[in-house]
Amino acid sequence: MGARDGSDGRDARGEWRIRAAELADRGVRNIALTTVDNAGICRAKTFPLARLAEVAERGVGLSPCFDVYTSADRMVSSPHLGGPDGDLRLFPDPERIVPLAAQPGWAWSPADRHEQDGRRYAGDQRDFARRAAARAAGLGLRFTMGFETEWILRRPDGSSPTTGPAYGMTRIVELADYGRDLLQALAEQGLRVLQFHPEYAPGQFEVSTAPADGPVAAADDLVLVRETVRAVSARHGLRASFAPAFHAAEVGNGCHLHLGLHREGTDLHRDPTARHGLAPQAAAFLAGVLDRLPALLALGAPSPASYLRLQPSRWAGAHRCWGVENREAALRLVPGEGHAELKCFDAAANPYLLVGAVITAGLAGIAEGAQLPDPVTGDPVARPDVPRLPTSLDETVEHFAAAGELREAMGEVLYGAVLAVRRAEAEDFAGSEPERIAAETRWRY
Ligand code: GLU
Ligand code: MG
């Protein structure tokens, strides 16, 4: 449906016009294109619906400099990016244009970024996820994936809109209209909600949606869920924070990644001959991920604030181990539901980078025939033989700087930009008190 793929330009324009008319019938007037930058911030460009056919053909411009922005909007530079030069073209994804239920008159689409001459932009995170999925598909592997979204709500005066206990029904009663509107908006946008519940911290909630068919769709879903939560919250006079650590000394917002592996129609989490149902290839994949978690945190726990959250006894998965239904293990196997959960990641992560990196690590595990160690039962904090994951962004950056496989899979432009942003954010908060880190990142995500 686009001239870039070599199809006939005129036909493509006609199809886009039909598409625009359909969207107009549904009340859409403007479209927001989003990308998520390397600091985990969702950036947007919007245009009137009347321009859809034109934008689908030529794109809208965006500077590549956002790929070296920190979460505080400070531009840094990498070997390839930074400075005022250059322009990329953003294109909507025809498969993923969604009218927004909580923003009447608006639709959203994740953007794909190209160079002006039509080539794929080497720093594009969504394309990295797509390339990783294609490598897995080359081995016959397919993924179901989904994220859990946690957030903390505040009123404009800074107070929590809930008073009841953690996980308490009181909180659902207190925010009944909000919860109803949120679930309705998600459903209208084609997202199938599995659960919505109050979480541990005051004003904290979680929603999980059905696993998507593939990593790119899972990352798109997460962006859509998050921006829908934000929009519904705003309509109820509330602010939503997805920051890893709202307060330094409090349970934070996780963004756990659930994944299931399949091979040629076979569910690799339900092998009747294997322990916990985990077929050898799935076990090797997960072992590869577990081995590489310290470097993967550069994608999944990318902020200095991530390490305020990634603490024992907060169900954040601060230890590098796996367990069956163990909520303190970084990797929790959920045999009853046929998938695994990576708990150590948070909502400052760029989900496209994260899924691409996890697949890269898992495929390396398969290639080397990695073996899962014994699962851990009980609290890993009591096990001196179980290592902690990195406890600071500095430590994670060291692992990432030595991660050759990730570097190769991401390519120099993307890898260099991520490394530059991580180093800059670590430097910006070097020596800062935990509560200052929490305060300065609280409303960035
Ligand atoms: N809020 C916890 C975190 O930071 C997760 C709680 C849960 O298991 O859902 O990851
Ligand atoms: Mg939760």
Side-chain angles (χ1 to χ4, degrees):
M1 199 167 169
R4 274 167 304 125
D5 59 15
S7 62
D8 182 273
R10 244 180 341 189
D11 285 358
R13 268 198 299 282
E15 280 178 49
W16 279 108
R17 284 205 190 94
I18 294 168
R19 193 66 187 277
E22 286 163 5
L23 289 165
D25 281 348
R26 297 179 65 185
V28 172
R29 296 291 173 267
N30 303 294
I31 298 187
L33 294 177
T34 62
T35 59
V36 184
D37 70 16
N38 290 320
I41 305 296
C42 184
R43 313 261 177 199
K45 275 269 177 126
T46 81
F47 61 90
L49 180 66
R51 286 198 64 219
L52 181 59
E54 190 189 336
V55 167
E57 194 172 304
R58 296 217 295 272
V60 289
L62 183 77
S63 164
C65 74
F66 296 108
D67 282 337
V68 282
Y69 260 43
T70 67
S71 61
D73 301 336
R74 180 166 83 85
M75 184 168 71
V76 297
S77 60
S78 72
H80 304 89
L81 299 172
D85 305 311
D87 190 47
L88 298 169
R89 309 304 296 175
L90 256 59
F91 292 90
D93 181 340
E95 307 296 324
R96 209 61 221 255
I97 302 179
V98 180
L100 294 174
Q103 283 167 256
W106 289 88
W108 160 87
S109 171
D112 284 313
R113 291 181 297 171
H114 292 253
E115 302 283 357
Q116 285 180 331
D117 62 10
R119 279 175 303 137
R120 286 260 172 210
Y121 164 54
D124 191 66
Q125 300 87 356
R126 196 166 184 255
D127 191 51
F128 167 57
R130 199 181 275 128
R131 282 185 279 124
R135 274 202 311 281
L139 300 172
L141 291 173
R142 202 172 63 64
F143 302 90
T144 46
M145 280 194 184
F147 288 93
E148 278 176 30
T149 299
E150 295 185 338
W151 68 98
I152 289 180
L153 289 173
R154 285 294 181 263
R155 295 198 187 96
D157 67 2
S159 65
S160 167
T162 66
T163 59
Y167 302 95
M169 181 61 190
T170 304
R171 294 188 185 179
I172 296 293
V173 175
E174 288 172 321
L175 288 183
D177 292 354
Y178 170 78
R180 177 204 57 211
D181 290 354
L182 176 61
L183 298 195
Q184 186 179 326
L186 293 170
E188 280 176 21
Q189 293 170 178
L191 294 160
R192 196 161 73 78
V193 173
L194 298 178
Q195 300 191 38
F196 167 64
H197 66 260
E199 260 290 343
Y200 191 85
Q204 191 178 33
F205 288 87
E206 173 185 318
V207 73
S208 43
T209 49
D213 188 10
V216 175
D220 289 342
D221 282 359
L222 177 65
V223 172
L224 184 56
V225 167
R226 225 183 258 170
E227 298 313 322
T228 304
V229 167
R230 216 188 293 281
V232 174
S233 303
R235 291 172 84 78
H236 283 262
L238 298 168
R239 268 178 111 180
S241 164
F242 301 92
F246 193 84
H247 284 300
E250 191 177 86
V251 163
N253 290 317
C255 186
H256 308 174
L257 171 61
H258 292 254
L259 77 160
L261 271 86
H262 305 257
R263 191 193 160 84
E264 283 139 19
T266 307
D267 185 340
L268 299 181
H269 290 256
R270 296 190 195 276
D271 179 342
T273 65
R275 210 164 153 230
H276 310 299
L278 214 49
Q281 218 173 13
F285 183 96
L286 294 177
V289 172
L290 192 61
D291 281 344
R292 292 163 179 76
L293 277 183
L296 289 174
L297 287 184
L299 297 321
S303 162
S306 301
Y307 300 85
L308 304 177
R309 163 190 169 262
L310 196 56
Q311 305 277 340
S313 306
R314 295 190 188 177
W315 290 6
H319 285 85
R320 183 149 67 85
C321 62
W322 75 284
V324 179
E325 294 289 14
N326 187 334
R327 285 187 168 76
E328 281 295 326
L331 173 57
R332 169 185 173 221
L333 192 69
V334 196
E337 294 187 27
H339 65 248
E341 175 184 15
L342 288 158
K343 290 181 70 75
C344 49
F345 303 140
D346 65 57
N350 175 318
Y352 302 99
L353 283 180
L354 182 56
V355 294
V358 164
I359 293 172
T360 303
L363 294 184
I366 291 177
E368 69 198 9
Q371 301 283 323
L372 272 177
D374 286 337
V376 167
T377 44
D379 195 340
V381 88
R383 291 270 304 264
D385 57 319
V386 175
R388 262 297 285 277
L389 283 170
T391 55
S392 69
L393 183 56
D394 286 306
E395 207 184 313
T396 293
V397 165
E398 276 178 42
H399 290 280
F400 184 64
E405 291 147 354
L406 281 175
R407 181 176 188 156
E408 198 187 318
M410 293 169 80
E412 288 303 313
V413 174
L414 183 56
Y415 179 83
V418 172
L419 192 57
V421 173
R422 295 298 170 276
R423 284 185 169 146
E425 293 212 19
E427 198 183 292
D428 284 349
F429 288 101
S432 292
E433 287 301 317
E435 198 51 39
R436 203 198 119 211
I437 299 175
E440 291 196 9
T441 50
R442 187 172 296 148
W443 298 113
R444 302 307 299 178
Y445 302 99

